[in-house]
Amino acid sequence: QVQLVESGGDLVQPGGSLRLSCGASGSAFRLYRMGWYRQAPGKQRDVVATITTSGSTMYANSVKGRFTISRDNGKKTVYLQMNSLKAEDTAVYYCNAHKMAYPRDDDYWGQGTQVTVSS
């Protein structure tokens, strides 16, 4: 079992920056691929960025060059540094922990943290 708690969401002006954090409890954090997803009102939840157990990263095209995902296995925490924020980044941001398993992959979600980009 993995419990995830996000923090860092806030109201920020366009062009501003925020850093989201996701702390994990439970065992074997280092064995999980970690990710950030977001969901805007009336839209589906979409991937923002992921980071594998070996540190490889992937970003949605809409955030490439502006967002950076990182992880600290010792602190069992994953971060999302968001720069040059735009109004379209407004959403609830969710942390995800994923591990392949049989017969079903392990997937855990946090409760979400609100990011609002507005002047």
Side-chain angles (χ1 to χ4, degrees):
Q1 279 279 8
V2 177
Q3 293 81 43
L4 303 172
V5 179
E6 302 99 333
S7 61
D10 205 346
L11 169 64
V12 63
Q13 292 187 345
S17 297
L18 278 178
R19 188 175 84 154
L20 304 183
S21 299
C22 173
S25 59
S27 61
F29 171 83
R30 60 182 176 83
L31 298 182
Y32 286 82
R33 185 196 73 191
M34 300 301 297
W36 287 97
Y37 291 70
R38 66 187 180 187
Q39 187 167 19
K43 296 189 176 182
Q44 67 179 23
R45 188 175 299 187
D46 291 326
V47 63
V48 175
T50 61
I51 184 167
T52 68
T53 56
S54 61
S56 297
T57 58
M58 181 281 294
Y59 296 93
N61 286 335
S62 59
V63 307
K64 279 181 181 176
R66 300 188 298 123
F67 291 11
T68 302
I69 188 171
S70 61
R71 67 189 295 163
D72 185 330
N73 289 338
K75 294 182 178 179
K76 295 184 180 180
T77 301
V78 61
Y79 304 97
L80 185 68
Q81 178 65 44
M82 305 187 294
N83 299 327
S84 303
L85 283 161
K86 306 175 182 179
E88 49 263 44
D89 295 318
T90 295
V92 178
Y93 283 70
Y94 296 91
C95 179
N96 169 262
H98 174 85
K99 182 165 66 75
M100 295 180 65
Y102 183 85
R104 185 164 53 192
D105 291 352
D106 289 342
D107 261 301
Y108 300 96
W109 294 92
Q111 82 289 350
T113 186
Q114 177 71 48
V115 172
T116 303
V117 184
S118 175
S119 55

